[in-house]
């Protein structure tokens, strides 16, 4: 189980290695690097694919704090990129992973070759969501995720995935993965609920950026992606039918096609000289 000491913690990561340009995959809340298995499988022959677990999630170490804040996760990821010699990388972040990717692109652009933001927003958690999410987190802290797994599934996945009779086995797999979360996952959830806005920073992003959103995402609705697209100069926006908040596994072929096309469009674009600085 590869672990890397970064920023005072131990992060679990998986690295396909190889000579291709590096892609770093940064998962969403309550998941792990498994969220990007379909993308890693599709791209590992041409790229060096690195997927990691955030501190407090998956197989990474858990800090004894009340909330694992986004600034700490940002510094963790910067350290990971630098220690693995993966600069500049293509960064793919879903939801919470996108919160981190936006910070890196705005503040440390020399670390990135490009940015792909899936199901994410630069804004703080909408106030209308906070009481419900805090209640679910409180129950999970006391009793684990089993009592709240069904409402969490309805947040994490779109209507099509949840109702398709042919995908019962997949639903069972992802429900089981939710239930694998340790009870101390509440620390990571608090960090997401309490996150600060970076809307004032994202207009400074200049690396090539792709914004992807599922039409059925109820956690980060398509209007949020439209706003993000408008804030980041020159960004591209792709809306995916039938996908919810976990589009990488709900509609993997569509995500793979959008990501593959985006990466291919950059293959003949020279790396910015800024990539060698800092």
């Amino acid at each position: 189980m590869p672990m890397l000491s970064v920023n005072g913690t131990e992060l679990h990561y998986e690295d396909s290695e190889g000579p291709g340009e590096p892609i770093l995959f940064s998962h969403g809340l309550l998941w792990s690097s498994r969220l990007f298995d379909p993308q890693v499988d599709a791209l590992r022959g041409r790229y060096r694919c690195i997927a990691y677990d955030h501190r407090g999630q998956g197989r990474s170490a858990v800090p004894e704090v009340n909330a694992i804040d986004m600034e700490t996760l940002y510094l963790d990821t910067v350290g990971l990129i630098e220690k693995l010699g993966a600069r500049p990388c293509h960064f793919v972040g879903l939801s919470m992973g996108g919160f981190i990717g936006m910070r890196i692109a705005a503040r440390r652009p020399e670390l990135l070759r490009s940015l792909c933001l899936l199901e994410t927003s630069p804004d703080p958690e909408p106030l209308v969501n906070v009481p419900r999410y805090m209640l679910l987190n409180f129950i999970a802290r006391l009793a684990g995720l089993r009592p709240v797994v069904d409402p969490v599934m309805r947040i994490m996945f779109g209507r099509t995935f949840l109702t398709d009779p042919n995908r019962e086995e997949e639903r069972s797999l992802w429900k089981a993965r939710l239930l694998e979360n340790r009870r101390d996952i509440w620390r990571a959830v608090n960090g997401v609920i309490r996150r600060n806005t970076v809307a004032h920073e994202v207009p400074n992003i200049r690396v090539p950026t792709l914004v992807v959103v599922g039409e059925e995402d109820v956690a980060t609705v398509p209007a949020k992606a439209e706003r993000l697209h408008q804030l980041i100069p020159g960004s591209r926006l792709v809306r995916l039918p039938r996908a919810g908040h976990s589009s990488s596994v709900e509609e993997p072929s569509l995500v793979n096609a959008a990501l593959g096309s985006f990466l291919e469009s950059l293959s003949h674009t020279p790396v910015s000289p800024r990539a060698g600085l800092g």
Side-chain angles (χ1 to χ4, degrees), residues 114-132:
S114 72
L115 177 65
C116 181
L117 301 170
L118 294 87
E119 321 302 337
T120 195
S121 164
D123 301 315
E125 190 62 45
L127 291 177
V128 67
N129 292 344
V130 170
R132 181 185 180 211

Side-chain angles (χ1 to χ4, degrees), residues 15-25 39-50 89-90 113-114 256 259-268:
D15 187 346
S16 71
E17 300 183 340
E21 291 183 318
I23 305 177
L24 185 67
F25 294 93
Q39 288 68 52
V40 171
D41 288 345
L43 295 167
R44 65 189 309 151
R46 289 172 289 156
Y47 297 90
R48 176 189 175 191
C49 294
I50 304 166
C89 65
H90 301 284
R113 178 82 167 88
S114 72
N256 290 353
L259 183 55
S261 175
F262 175 64
L263 293 173
E264 180 62 28
S265 73
L266 302 175
S267 62
H268 303 297

Side-chain angles (χ1 to χ4, degrees), residues 26-28 35-36 92-98 118-119 245-248:
S26 184
H27 66 84
L35 193 66
F36 288 109
V92 181
L94 188 148
S95 191
M96 186 174 75
L118 294 87
E119 321 302 337
H245 195 59
S246 303
S247 57
S248 60

Side-chain angles (χ1 to χ4, degrees), residues 77-119:
T77 309
V78 166
L80 185 78
I81 293 170
E82 293 181 331
K83 279 206 167 185
L84 291 178
R87 53 184 290 176
C89 65
H90 301 284
F91 188 99
V92 181
L94 188 148
S95 191
M96 186 174 75
F99 305 157
I100 296 163
M102 286 181 269
R103 286 167 167 80
I104 297 174
R107 302 171 188 175
R108 296 291 306 276
E110 75 279 2
L111 298 181
L112 301 189
R113 178 82 167 88
S114 72
L115 177 65
C116 181
L117 301 170
L118 294 87
E119 321 302 337

Side-chain angles (χ1 to χ4, degrees), residues 136 139-153 175-181 183 185:
L136 292 172
I139 294 170
R141 181 176 180 179
L142 291 181
L145 263 83
R146 188 166 297 279
V148 300
V149 70
D150 289 334
V152 171
M153 286 287 289
K175 181 179 284 191
R177 286 178 171 170
L178 275 178
L179 293 171
E180 288 172 0
N181 277 292
R183 193 169 295 186
I185 191 66

Side-chain angles (χ1 to χ4, degrees), residues 14 26 79 83 101 121 132 157 206 213 255:
E14 296 179 14
S26 184
K83 279 206 167 185
S121 164
R132 181 185 180 211
F157 297 98
R206 292 294 182 270
V213 67
V255 171

Side-chain angles (χ1 to χ4, degrees), residues 154-254:
R154 291 192 291 271
I155 294 168
M156 290 294 177
F157 297 98
R159 179 184 63 257
T160 298
F161 181 83
L162 291 174
T163 59
D164 186 344
N166 296 316
R167 303 188 75 173
E168 177 60 36
E169 187 174 342
E170 289 179 81
R171 287 193 294 273
S172 296
L173 170 64
W174 288 99
K175 181 179 284 191
R177 286 178 171 170
L178 275 178
L179 293 171
E180 288 172 0
N181 277 292
R182 298 164 295 207
R183 193 169 295 186
D184 53 17
I185 191 66
W186 61 269
R187 304 176 194 274
V189 177
N190 276 345
V192 169
I193 293 174
R194 301 175 189 176
R195 71 184 184 275
N196 294 322
T197 182
V198 289
H200 58 293
E201 294 188 66
V202 294
N204 297 325
I205 293 175
R206 292 294 182 270
V207 299
T209 301
L210 174 68
V211 179
V212 178
V213 67
E215 296 282 8
E216 299 179 8
D217 190 343
V218 297
T220 307
V221 296
K224 292 282 188 179
E226 296 277 1
R227 166 172 156 76
L228 183 57
H229 168 52
Q230 293 299 322
L231 285 173
I232 300 177
S235 62
R236 310 180 196 180
L237 175 67
V238 174
R239 295 177 65 139
L240 304 178
R242 304 180 303 278
H245 195 59
S246 303
S247 57
S248 60
V249 296
E250 292 176 78
E251 289 294 334
S253 61
L254 296 183

